[in-house]
Amino acid sequence: MAVGLTLIFGVMRVVNFAHGDMMVWGMYVTFLLASRAGVDPYVAFGAAAAALFVLGLVVQRGLVDRVLDAPHEMQILLMLGVALILENTALLAFGPEPTRARSTLAAATIWLGPVFVDVARLIAFGVALALTAALWLFLFRTELGRLMRATADNTFGALVIGTDVRRVYAVAFGVGAACVGAAGALVAPILPWEPATGLSLSVASFNIVIIGGMGSLLGAFVGGLLVSVAESLGAVFLQPSLKELASFSLLILILLFRPAGLFGNGRDG
Amino acid sequence: MPNGAGSRLVSGHPPIAPASRPALQYLALAAVLVLLALPAVLTSYAVTVFILIFFYAFLGQAWNVVGGYAGQLSMGHAAFVGVGGYTAAMLSSELHLTPWLGMLVGGALAAVLGAVIGYLGFRFGLRGFYFVLLTVAFAEVCRILVSNIDALGGAIGLYITFTGDPRQFQFQDARAYYYVALALMLLATGVVALLERRRFGIYLGAIREDEGACEALGVDTFKYKMLAMIVSSFLTGVGGTFYAFYLFSLQPNSMFGIPLSVEIIIRPIVGGAGTLLGPILGSFILTPLGELSRLSLGHGGYHGLHLVAYGVLLVAVVLFLPQGAYPYLARVLRRRDA
């Protein structure tokens, strides 16, 4: 999901505070399909991605488009408003109780060499890898992907060569949201969630993206690994409830000393 | 709207100084008098709503110093509420120090934390989103730490025994809280009104509008941003004491959490950040709205409705009234006068 955020930020330089809440909606779409129509979460993930693509497109076209030239603060506040709306409509629609999507696959575990692995986690990891790879192919091997990178690099230059920047923005936002939706569907059978989860997911993914470097795909991936390593180490050496402390401390250090992130391109957002 | 989405978070308009016009001065005086007399006729529920209006207006006003006037968007102000509240509560239960003094100690400690965050943020030149994240990260670190310190009650938090003793900041009569909250709001507004017209306030506005230009002109922007942060966090810390002793309980998630920070900033933003009356107006709009949706929809699981409404309002303000409601209102009123 950090990959989705990095795409939105990288291309548009808009900070999407509603990220975690979009992911939660991806989870609920999966949950609805699973509980009402009996679709397995791993099949529903395409639908969740599609639904979130549309949501992302609507939010971008209807709202973000209008404040693109405004200062960053305005965009942050706008997305904060969207986050509040998304989180609390989920609360109204589904109630505050934790939910979980059941998958017949998720119950299984297998021995992988010496370690005991959840099939669900394995699938999630595999699909996340595949998605990152697909996104990379999209960005580096297709025309639209090239235009997207061009826009991220130099919006004015892209305009000059005739890019439809607004369309690029819309697609970037949509694809970013779709990634999040897919991530939500993948995680749905593993983690129980509730509407308030969105906020902590947003914060966690900001950690990851900042640490890895804004607008860098590789950075998002490495950042994700780093954060989980830091949290595991924190859990081992301090105590489990202090594990988030490790990632937040890491975040503060990175913010102070390398605000562009480990793999960032050095430009200040 | 010509100055719609493209303009800044806070006003670029010439300062509206209502106090400079005698008519408005009398109006403000009258409003204060009405508020002073109001509890005599209000139901106890209405008194509660007014307490919340004043309290959030106070917090909003405190945030306004650094977030509105200086334009440094802090989203970690809950940390100061938490530090202030916990300090006063601990001093009261361990050292039997009255919260009336503990409040000041809490404010001072909050100001120290504010100074640390401000120093790091401003010295390392974090702007915009990076500053937002820094403040959020600090608030979260505080929340996690406090949840893990057993002496501070851990994740369960602290409870304050009710004695009803005014010396312990506890009152039998809810109306006493009403007057304390009103006093806090007026105090913070008074402080901001004083600052606004001095060099300090003018520098802050200039920093918000164009920091680079300020530096070029020789303004010590670091110093003024630090001062703004310290004033703001001190006031917020004082508010934390009120919050703790009004609710009789302190929980890390509600005292340090991001939702409280959002509650703090949304009122001045909607009302008009960087204006004297914006936070108050915002609180008078949003707090009753929140209470109303809570009341009318009751406990039937519609808990998030007021937050949906807040979200819609926030989006609407960003899109249509980026300077907030107060500057708009002031413009409309002035047009009618003319």
Side-chain angles (χ1 to χ4, degrees):
Chain A
M1 76 173 281
V3 167
L5 188 66
T6 217
L7 188 67
I8 292 177
F9 187 83
V11 176
M12 305 174 65
R13 319 234 142 244
V14 168
V15 173
N16 184 2
F17 243 98
H19 209 66
D21 297 302
M22 288 186 166
M23 179 156 170
V24 167
W25 270 97
M27 291 164 148
Y28 277 115
V29 169
T30 315
F31 167 72
L32 282 181
L33 282 173
S35 59
R36 296 280 155 81
V39 183
D40 192 273
Y42 294 108
V43 184
F45 112 99
L52 267 286
F53 180 81
V54 174
L55 177 67
L57 216 61
V58 169
V59 169
Q60 201 283 333
R61 274 284 144 115
L63 303 172
V64 180
D65 218 25
R66 311 175 61 162
V67 295
L68 271 181
D69 303 324
H72 257 154
E73 287 88 348
M74 292 311 279
Q75 301 168 357
I76 294 171
L77 292 173
L78 179 78
M79 291 322 289
L80 190 66
V82 174
L84 278 174
I85 296 172
L86 285 179
E87 174 178 334
N88 292 292
T89 38
L91 190 62
L92 288 174
F94 302 103
E97 300 83 19
T99 320
R100 183 167 199 157
R102 305 224 168 267
S103 163
T104 43
L105 281 171
T109 47
I110 50 166
W111 287 94
L112 204 79
V115 277
F116 197 51
V117 191
D118 268 347
V119 174
R121 281 171 206 272
L122 206 63
I123 297 178
F125 184 69
V127 178
L129 268 184
L131 275 181
T132 314
L135 201 59
W136 188 86
L137 281 179
F138 168 66
L139 283 177
F140 286 83
R141 291 286 177 269
T142 67
E143 192 53 36
L144 193 57
R146 282 197 188 99
L147 286 180
M148 223 176 251
R149 285 186 299 128
T151 309
D153 210 36
N154 185 340
T155 313
F156 185 67
L159 262 175
V160 168
I161 59 159
T163 314
D164 184 351
V165 172
R166 306 208 118 163
R167 194 170 76 102
V168 169
Y169 282 157
V171 174
F173 216 94
V175 171
C179 286
V180 177
L186 288 175
V187 179
I190 304 175
L191 287 175
W193 74 91
E194 56 195 47
T197 313
L199 182 65
S200 49
L201 284 175
S202 290
V203 172
S205 61
F206 281 132
N207 272 359
I208 292 172
V209 169
I210 290 282
I211 290 170
M214 286 274 193
S216 150
L217 269 186
L218 176 69
F221 206 75
V222 175
L225 291 177
L226 259 180
V227 165
S228 39
V229 169
E231 294 206 345
S232 323
L233 286 179
V236 170
F237 288 108
L238 302 164
Q239 13 169 327
S241 52
L242 279 170
K243 71 183 165 85
E244 284 176 291
L245 198 62
S247 56
F248 279 114
S249 315
L250 192 62
L251 173 67
I252 292 175
L253 289 177
I254 296 267
L255 273 176
L256 294 179
F257 294 107
R258 185 123 175 63
L262 295 175
F263 292 88
N265 41 23
R267 277 174 317 184
D268 201 16
Chain B
M1 174 133 288
N3 61 345
S7 61
R8 278 203 68 89
L9 161 64
V10 275
S11 40
H13 58 77
I16 304 160
S20 67
R21 297 162 61 187
L24 275 173
Q25 230 160 16
Y26 288 125
L27 203 66
L29 192 67
V32 171
L33 286 178
V34 168
L35 288 179
L36 281 174
L38 214 47
V41 294
L42 289 178
T43 63
S44 68
Y45 179 69
V47 168
T48 311
V49 174
F50 269 96
I51 292 173
L52 291 175
I53 293 177
F54 297 152
F55 176 63
Y56 281 115
F58 166 73
L59 288 184
Q61 192 68 274
W63 177 86
N64 198 19
V65 176
V66 70
Y69 285 95
Q72 308 296 315
L73 198 63
S74 158
M75 273 191 42
H77 259 55
F80 308 132
V81 175
V83 168
Y86 269 85
T87 308
M90 287 307 283
L91 285 175
S92 150
S93 68
E94 301 297 315
L95 302 174
H96 304 290
L97 180 73
T98 162
W100 291 102
L101 289 174
M103 185 178 223
L104 300 178
V105 182
L109 279 184
V112 170
L113 178 67
V116 170
I117 298 175
Y119 180 84
L120 292 173
F122 302 142
R123 191 49 100 201
F124 284 82
L126 297 183
R127 291 188 189 165
F129 177 60
Y130 294 91
F131 185 72
V132 171
L133 261 192
L134 183 78
T135 55
V136 171
F138 264 101
E140 285 292 279
V141 165
C142 290
R143 180 179 66 80
I144 297 163
L145 279 178
V146 170
S147 318
N148 281 283
I149 296 175
D150 290 336
L152 296 177
I156 306 156
L158 296 174
Y159 289 90
I160 294 163
T161 354
F162 183 72
T163 56
D165 183 356
R167 278 169 303 175
Q168 292 305 316
F169 211 90
Q170 295 173 339
F171 310 102
Q172 302 281 5
D173 191 344
R175 277 174 289 188
Y177 288 107
Y178 176 100
Y179 285 112
V180 175
L182 178 62
L184 282 176
M185 177 181 89
L186 293 177
L187 179 83
T189 308
V191 169
V192 172
L194 271 179
L195 295 180
E196 189 182 42
R197 306 232 224 119
R198 274 155 213 274
R199 179 180 301 225
F200 181 48
I202 291 164
Y203 277 167
L204 289 186
I207 289 170
R208 173 188 71 215
E209 296 300 328
D210 193 336
E211 194 169 338
C214 280
E215 273 168 13
L217 289 171
V219 176
D220 188 349
T221 59
F222 176 75
K223 180 174 126 195
Y224 286 101
K225 283 195 287 185
M226 281 297 282
L227 280 175
M229 192 72 177
I230 289 169
V231 171
S232 175
S233 49
F234 177 81
L235 288 174
T236 312
V238 169
T241 305
F242 179 85
Y243 197 52
F245 282 80
Y246 178 61
L247 296 177
F248 300 117
S249 72
L250 303 89
Q251 270 121 34
N253 287 343
S254 61
M255 298 286 284
F256 287 95
I258 300 173
L260 179 60
S261 293
V262 172
E263 291 268 355
I264 294 175
I265 69 168
I266 191 167
R267 286 171 177 80
I269 298 275
V270 168
T275 62
L276 182 62
L277 297 180
I280 299 176
L281 182 64
S283 192
F284 267 94
I285 298 172
L286 286 175
T287 314
L289 191 72
E291 284 303 311
L292 215 71
S293 73
R294 223 172 278 173
L295 191 71
S296 59
L297 295 159
H299 316 283
Y302 292 109
H303 192 59
L305 191 70
H306 74 285
L307 289 170
V308 176
Y310 285 8
V312 172
L313 257 178
L314 189 57
V315 169
V317 163
V318 168
L319 290 182
F320 303 113
L321 283 178
Q323 301 175 353
Y326 176 70
Y328 174 74
L329 205 67
R331 256 199 316 275
V332 170
L333 286 178
R334 207 167 348 167
R335 217 171 293 149
R336 195 167 297 166
D337 276 3

